[in-house]
Amino acid sequence: MDLTLKVWRQDGPGKPGEFKEYEAKGISPDSSFLEMLDVVNERLVEAGEVPIEFDHDCREGICGTCGVMINGHPHGDQKGTATCQLHMRRFSDGDRIVIEPWRATGMPVMRDLIVDRSPLDRIVEAGGYISVNTGGAPDANLIPVPKPAAESSMDAAACIGCAACIAACPNSAGQLFTSAKLAHLNLLPQGQPERYERTIAMVEKMEEFFGSCTNHGECEEACPKSISIDNIALMNRDYIVAKFKDRRKAGQT
Amino acid sequence: MTTLDAKVPAGPIEDKWTNHRFDIKLVNPANKRKYEIIIIGTGLAGASAAATLGELGYNVKVFTYHDSPRRAHSIAAQGGINAAKNYPNDGDSIYRLFYDTVKGGDYRSREANVYRLAEVSNEIIDQCTAQGVPFAREYSGLLDNRSFGGAQVSRTFYARGQTGQQLLLGAYQALARQVSLGNVKLFNRSEMLEVVLHEGRAVGVVVRDLINGEISSHSAHAVVLATGGYSNVFFLSTMAMACNTTAIWRAHRKGAFFANPCFTQIHPTCIPVHDEFQSKLTLMSESLRNDGRIWVPVDPDDTRAANDIPESDRDYYLERIYPSFGNLAPRDVSSRAAMRMIDENRGVGPLKNGVYLDFADAINRLGKDVIEARYGNLFEMYERITDEDPYEVPMRIYPAPHYSMGGLWVDYNLMTNVPGLYAIGEANFSDHGANRLGASALMQGLADGYFVLPYTIADYLADWLNISPVPTDHEVFQEAEREVDGRMKRLLSINGTRTVDSFHRELGKIMIEYCGLARSKPGLEKALSQIPALRDEFWKNVRVTGTEDNYNSELQKANRVADFFELAELMCRDALEREESCGGHFRVEHQTEEGEAQRDDLNQAHVSAWEWKGYNVPQAHHREPLEFENVALAQRSYK
Ligand SMILES: Cc1cc2nc3c(=O)[nH]c(=O)nc-3n(C[C@H](O)[C@H](O)[C@H](O)COP(=O)(O)OP(=O)(O)OC[C@H]3O[C@@H](n4cnc5c(N)ncnc54)[C@H](O)[C@@H]3O)c2cc1C
Ligand code: SF4
Ligand code: FES
């Protein structure tokens, strides 16, 4: 198939950027979206031009490194699919495809389609863990976890940290990502002792970088792992409880 | 040729690790903060080591070329992690896990290391559970297990099809906690390009910032490489795009011995190649072989669709040839069997380059829901890539390069032969011999990082108390920085006509053909004449666009591919030198009448460790003899 790409090019952080057009001819419908970009880039190099820079690594939808806006949709319009898993058979011959980086003030563009997602690490560093040192953990089966709790925790833990939810949100809110991390830990018995401190710390860190949630729901729509917006409700509930609670009794809920 | 000493402690195998921990030197808690440790890599091995060393009180600096530690390729592991818990009460034990792993590795691993691995396996599960890793559970709330290739017990813990992801998130979170406490300093998008030595010891590294190209030096009392595997030497593999050999290769060039480079694993269950533009191969977890049955048509000319081929015209070849392990035969055995089917022209799919993995029986027996609960995400991934629904038609699978058992040589303490330089996780060679069993790499990465290195590193550090690290303005650092900078400039100035990828693809083709599933003397000799020629062409004719002081993925790739050429040559040399077939290393000259691998225990029961002697000069060959005191050497049989 033959396509026309309209791609955001930007030389570095803080530099001005612009859209440029490229022809992508003779693309196999069995190729993935990123393999299509590889072909375009290899031709650019052959022509002595600087290829389009984009982030990617595993190419199987698990590392969360990839992610671009494709015709205005984060990761393209196929539901539950990361950019690297999107295949060209979703497009038609002759299509014009607009490719842009994630846009959010908290995640500046580093080059072309690459953005700085390190705020997500900062949010996890604020409290997205269970404070156990290595060694001395009790036998794993001493802490039975009801299967439904383990399953819901796993649903939330499936977040790949790609930041599509933030890119999708008109307010650039970080709620879906943050709530997924919180739900993963807060739903497990092991996560209870630090539940409320964790929630406050992570929410407050999130607010340093990102906008506020006004329930648009675009995040869930864009999420390649179909992380549920219900996690945000749980986070809000925990946050309110934490704020009003007598913290010394928190462990007894 | 020297004989290497692995410093394995004396005494019965069950007591070695306990005694060793008692015998080695300790660093007292108050003194730990006087030490600086550099860790390269934040996969399971690197993240768990950094977190644990940080908890202990050391000052740790950790580097990754990814934008976040959570992106390391450990994230992609699907199937699970082994441990000798024996929760299912099916006869498992530390000894059995040890035995299976030594046998699975075709008797080319070091017994003492493998025993220690089995010993700490249970603590890993405890640790990860306490961290909140959401392992799969039974209705009772207790942990669930499944079985994996090469074992007759159920000892694999898993988190849906995302075990690596969940274990890595656990380690990453522990690391994040140490970062927030200030014990660990994290450098993302930073690629280590040189190991720095002073008076024969590792004293630091040179790193390039991938965003702005800045080159900087970092010094420490010890350097730990946790940089993963090198299967991307084959171009197409199940590794992530950026996985490479540079960190360990640079260490090798500085004197660290490279052990068993030719021991690479070709995994039997990957989605077959579809076309020339393909950038990587996707693994379908081996756990699928628990419920899927592998077959090809009996008749090479059978053109019917899979579901139209009646039972009588199908050959369930693994069940036929290996009745006691059947579809769960180990990886090397299964991969070679698939290759034979395809060589007999009985392959399936448009390019006749696959075999069927069929779930019809399992779906009939257990219902679609059960299969969906077990493998839903894998089925979905398969459908996205191939546009075929595996609930309706059998999957097509084919072997693909997947894991490197070889790596830097390390002693029992996980230290390379260069004092102060350690290698952990897939980057070292230590535990898997000539073939790795499923679900044991995650175990090894976490064993090294959580439970082994944090103890053993003290034995070295204790001698350097109150001695500051070599300052980064020292000549050894300045020289290393000049080398790195010179290499970047050289790559950019060639300005030839071929892209980096075109070289990498060509190298991959040579390697898969001559150093892949089957290897022969004439083939390896051919590869050994083609690789240096291609490498020379690369240095004359590669085209790297862009500049040095900006994000430049072509430059990053070029630098990595340059090292792959040198590694590829060594792999072929090692394969040529090893006159036997064992595990993933199958020399066609050495096979039994039935076409199974034929080991030569008399002459080849050793680790081959190679010493760098200079560019274009053959490496020197050293050996570490392997002694088997606990497991009797036997012809491996899965029949
Ligand atoms: C698709 C797939 C599925 C698998 N499934 C399983 C399974 O089910 N069970 C199992 O036991 N094993 C499995 N494995 C194997 C296992 O995942 C790996 O062997 C293991 O995770 C490797 O961990 P590691 O920490 O050694 O390296 P990695 O996770 O690869 O981490 C390497 C780290 O080093 C960094 N790095 C590398 N070079 C440099 C450099 N020069 N400078 C700076 N940083 C650098 C990277 O950024 C990264 O952080 C699987 C492997 C693959 C590919
Ligand atoms: S919640 Fe979804 S969209 Fe947001 S970071 Fe996680 S996986 Fe990406
Ligand atoms: S490249 Fe890893 S999720 Fe897309």
Side-chain angles (χ1 to χ4, degrees):
Chain A
M1 48 209 288
D2 295 341
L3 308 152
T4 308
L5 311 182
K6 195 177 156 195
V7 185
W8 182 260
R9 301 300 306 260
Q10 179 173 332
D11 210 30
K15 300 253 173 74
E18 59 178 341
F19 280 106
K20 285 215 173 127
E21 285 208 353
Y22 301 92
E23 297 299 319
K25 290 207 159 57
I27 300 296
S28 154
D30 284 333
S31 284
S32 70
F33 191 82
L34 297 184
E35 282 166 351
M36 182 275 293
L37 284 181
D38 291 341
V39 171
V40 171
N41 273 347
E42 203 162 356
R43 291 177 190 161
L44 284 175
V45 175
E46 277 160 4
E49 289 180 50
V50 176
I52 303 159
E53 298 289 2
F54 58 93
D55 255 336
H56 64 102
D57 201 23
C58 74
R59 298 214 173 181
E60 45 192 64
I62 191 76
C63 71
T65 313
C66 69
V68 291
M69 289 295 232
I70 302 169
N71 293 332
H73 299 283
H75 293 300
D77 70 350
Q78 189 176 2
K79 237 186 128 41
T81 305
T83 304
C84 59
Q85 294 175 292
L86 188 64
H87 279 71
M88 295 315 291
R89 60 179 86 90
R90 292 282 300 183
F91 297 85
S92 316
D93 189 39
D95 273 2
R96 204 179 138 80
I97 309 176
V98 182
I99 309 173
E100 288 174 85
W102 296 158
R103 307 253 187 216
T105 24
M107 299 191 292
V109 174
M110 306 306 279
R111 179 149 207 200
D112 295 347
L113 304 173
I114 298 177
V115 300
D116 177 9
R117 279 174 297 206
S118 48
L120 273 49
D121 287 331
R122 301 295 92 79
I123 294 171
V124 173
E125 285 158 16
Y129 41 75
I130 290 171
S131 302
V132 284
N133 283 355
T134 303
D139 183 90
N141 262 350
L142 277 180
I143 327 165
V145 180
K147 196 172 165 72
E151 296 292 324
S152 327
S153 163
M154 179 64 217
D155 286 341
C159 162
I160 58 175
C162 63
C165 46
I166 301 167
C169 176
N171 305 331
S172 301
Q175 255 75 3
L176 193 63
F177 166 78
T178 309
S179 68
K181 184 80 280 158
L182 280 166
H184 161 206
L185 300 171
N186 286 358
L187 289 170
L188 292 173
Q190 301 92 303
Q192 296 314 306
E194 294 166 292
R195 178 171 186 165
Y196 297 102
E197 275 98 27
R198 172 185 305 122
T199 306
I200 289 183
M202 288 178 71
V203 168
E204 288 176 357
K205 186 53 82 179
M206 170 187 82
E207 286 170 347
E208 285 176 26
F209 295 100
F210 299 115
S212 35
C213 172
T214 45
N215 297 318
H216 284 270
E218 300 281 345
C219 50
E220 184 184 81
E221 204 50 35
C223 174
K225 296 291 135 181
S226 306
I227 300 293
S228 163
I229 206 163
D230 293 351
N231 292 311
I232 301 183
L234 179 73
M235 171 172 83
N236 290 341
R237 182 191 158 275
D238 278 0
Y239 186 73
I240 291 171
V241 172
K243 278 288 181 186
F244 288 104
K245 209 173 181 74
D246 176 346
R247 300 271 193 82
R248 278 168 304 167
K249 290 193 184 134
Q252 293 162 25
T253 47
Chain B
M1 193 184 80
T2 25
T3 300
L4 290 165
D5 177 9
K7 307 202 185 86
V8 173
I13 197 143
E14 312 81 54
D15 302 335
K16 282 184 199 289
W17 179 230
T18 312
N19 292 345
H20 187 64
R21 279 192 295 174
F22 183 75
D23 292 339
I24 55 180
K25 289 172 214 144
L26 295 176
V27 173
N28 92 43
N31 282 335
K32 288 200 171 85
R33 63 192 150 73
K34 298 182 183 160
Y35 288 99
E36 309 279 339
I37 301 173
I38 285 175
I39 298 179
I40 312 296
T42 60
L44 286 182
S48 59
T52 306
L53 291 167
E55 287 161 10
L56 289 170
Y58 293 107
N59 295 304
V60 180
K61 276 186 178 176
V62 62
F63 298 83
T64 166
Y65 56 65
H66 286 103
D67 74 320
S68 163
R70 64 181 290 159
R71 315 248 188 251
H73 198 45
S74 294
I75 200 96
Q78 303 168 347
I81 176 166
N82 286 332
K85 284 281 192 189
N86 193 30
Y87 286 154
N89 193 27
D90 56 0
D92 203 6
S93 62
I94 288 172
Y95 195 84
R96 186 178 292 279
L97 176 55
F98 156 70
Y99 173 88
D100 285 350
T101 309
V102 171
K103 174 184 172 197
D106 217 356
Y107 309 96
R108 290 294 173 264
S109 48
R110 194 188 284 153
E111 271 192 345
N113 283 54
V114 180
Y115 194 89
R116 175 176 66 190
L117 176 66
E119 215 176 331
V120 302
S121 67
N122 292 340
E123 284 175 81
I124 296 173
I125 302 303
D126 298 341
Q127 181 63 28
C128 295
T129 302
Q131 283 171 348
V133 170
F135 282 124
R137 298 200 172 245
E138 314 259 15
Y139 281 99
S140 61
L142 301 181
L143 291 160
D144 189 22
N145 285 120
R146 63 176 162 211
S147 34
F148 244 64
Q152 285 171 313
V153 292
S154 253
R155 62 160 74 102
T156 305
F157 294 78
Y158 65 101
R160 296 202 188 139
Q162 290 121 278
T163 317
Q165 178 193 36
Q166 293 311 316
L167 295 173
L168 183 60
L169 291 180
Y172 157 69
Q173 287 163 200
L175 170 62
R177 178 169 156 247
Q178 293 308 307
V179 171
S180 75
L181 293 170
N183 299 331
V184 176
K185 202 156 180 275
L186 169 68
F187 297 79
N188 67 341
R189 295 205 198 262
S190 299
E191 184 163 17
M192 184 218 98
L193 297 178
E194 207 58 84
V195 177
V196 180
L197 266 53
H198 178 57
E199 294 173 351
R201 291 182 298 114
V203 294
V205 292
V206 171
V207 170
R208 181 169 178 270
D209 180 322
L210 298 183
I211 295 292
N212 58 22
E214 221 168 79
I215 292 168
S216 60
S217 291
H218 301 266
S219 70
H221 293 93
V223 175
V224 181
L225 303 182
T227 51
Y230 53 80
S231 293
N232 270 350
V233 68
F234 293 99
F235 185 66
L236 285 180
S237 81
T238 65
M239 306 297 280
M241 301 300 286
C243 292
N244 68 85
T245 189
T246 290
I248 58 175
W249 195 256
R250 295 282 119 196
H252 173 57
R253 290 184 112 207
K254 285 285 167 78
F257 293 175
F258 207 116
N260 299 335
C262 83
F263 285 174
T264 52
Q265 178 164 80
I266 305 218
H267 193 294
T269 55
C270 303
I271 303 178
V273 177
H274 57 78
D275 67 27
E276 182 70 12
F277 297 117
Q278 194 159 339
S279 59
K280 74 159 297 210
L281 294 169
T282 303
L283 178 79
M284 288 285 104
S285 167
E286 176 172 84
S287 60
L288 291 169
R289 293 201 273 144
N290 271 306
D291 288 306
R293 296 179 69 198
I294 294 176
W295 64 275
V296 290
V298 173
D299 176 5
D301 298 320
D302 200 326
T303 52
R304 287 173 289 182
N307 289 338
D308 296 338
I309 302 179
E311 282 296 305
S312 55
D313 293 346
R314 300 177 175 193
D315 178 10
Y316 293 91
Y317 59 89
L318 286 179
E319 297 172 22
R320 171 171 60 82
I321 311 174
Y322 308 102
S324 65
F325 279 71
N327 293 300
L328 287 174
R331 292 179 177 175
D332 52 338
V333 173
S334 311
S335 287
R336 267 198 303 281
M339 177 188 72
R340 261 179 270 146
M341 296 304 127
I342 290 173
D343 287 349
E344 290 170 16
N345 204 23
R346 294 203 276 156
V348 300
L351 303 174
K352 292 200 85 158
N353 62 349
V355 300
Y356 288 127
L357 177 62
D358 196 337
F359 294 89
D361 283 352
I363 291 173
N364 283 339
R365 191 175 69 245
L366 304 163
K368 193 179 160 188
D369 320 347
V370 175
I371 296 302
E372 193 174 343
R374 283 186 192 163
Y375 312 111
N377 67 323
L378 297 171
F379 277 43
E380 213 183 293
M381 184 143 90
Y382 181 86
E383 184 171 2
R384 266 212 195 94
I385 293 172
T386 62
D387 213 15
E388 286 175 359
D389 177 2
Y391 293 103
E392 300 297 330
V393 292
M395 282 185 179
R396 285 175 292 115
I397 52 163
Y398 190 63
H402 175 63
Y403 185 84
S404 19
M405 282 77 73
L408 290 185
W409 184 87
V410 289
D411 64 13
Y412 189 72
N413 284 339
L414 304 181
M415 187 157 84
T416 67
N417 58 302
V418 174
L421 181 66
Y422 290 78
I424 59 175
E426 196 172 339
N428 74 23
F429 88 104
S430 71
D431 297 358
H432 307 294
N435 172 57
R436 174 175 73 77
L437 288 183
S440 60
L442 300 181
M443 169 171 73
Q444 182 225 334
L446 291 180
D448 289 359
Y450 282 134
F451 295 109
V452 180
L453 180 84
Y455 289 107
T456 59
I457 201 167
D459 194 46
Y460 172 79
L461 292 176
D463 291 339
W464 299 95
L465 185 64
N466 296 326
I467 299 174
S468 315
V470 177
T472 54
D473 56 9
H474 190 283
E475 179 52 25
V476 286
F477 282 102
Q478 298 307 307
E479 194 192 319
E481 284 191 23
R482 282 193 298 273
E483 260 171 51
V484 169
D485 189 49
R487 193 169 147 102
M488 297 298 131
K489 292 204 161 67
R490 187 170 163 212
L491 286 165
L492 283 164
S493 68
I494 299 168
N495 204 16
T497 60
R498 281 184 69 179
T499 63
V500 178
D501 282 352
S502 82
F503 281 104
H504 194 181
R505 219 174 273 132
E506 191 174 336
L507 174 67
K509 281 190 182 142
I510 298 174
M511 289 304 285
I512 197 76
E513 176 151 6
Y514 301 117
C515 202
L517 269 171
R519 299 148 177 199
S520 71
K521 186 163 190 280
L524 289 164
E525 281 169 350
K526 203 158 166 190
L528 281 171
S529 75
Q530 289 178 354
I531 296 165
L534 190 64
R535 182 197 65 201
D536 291 346
E537 193 201 333
F538 172 89
W539 283 107
K540 288 196 195 100
N541 196 25
V542 72
R543 171 178 291 176
V544 184
T545 49
T547 57
E548 202 187 331
D549 58 357
N550 203 338
Y551 191 91
N552 187 343
S553 52
E554 288 297 308
L555 181 60
Q556 293 166 30
K557 279 194 289 191
N559 183 54
R560 294 167 188 163
V561 171
D563 288 336
F564 273 138
F565 284 119
E566 294 174 18
L567 167 68
E569 215 180 317
L570 183 63
M571 286 169 68
C572 293
R573 293 254 316 285
D574 185 47
L576 193 59
E577 190 274 341
R578 190 169 279 280
E579 287 285 355
E580 65 167 344
S581 293
C582 55
H585 170 64
F586 189 74
R587 281 284 300 269
V588 297
E589 295 91 342
H590 305 286
Q591 49 183 314
T592 64
E593 272 171 21
E594 295 150 311
E596 301 293 341
Q598 179 86 64
R599 287 197 326 264
D600 176 0
D601 292 331
L602 206 60
N603 301 301
Q604 304 288 341
H606 61 250
V607 176
S608 283
W610 299 87
E611 180 186 5
W612 179 259
K613 285 289 182 190
Y615 191 69
N616 252 342
V617 184
Q619 274 96 336
H621 184 206
H622 304 284
R623 288 171 196 215
E624 177 199 334
L626 292 171
E627 274 140 40
F628 294 89
E629 291 165 357
N630 298 277
V631 179
L633 286 165
Q635 179 68 35
R636 217 160 49 120
S637 169
Y638 291 93
K639 294 204 163 169

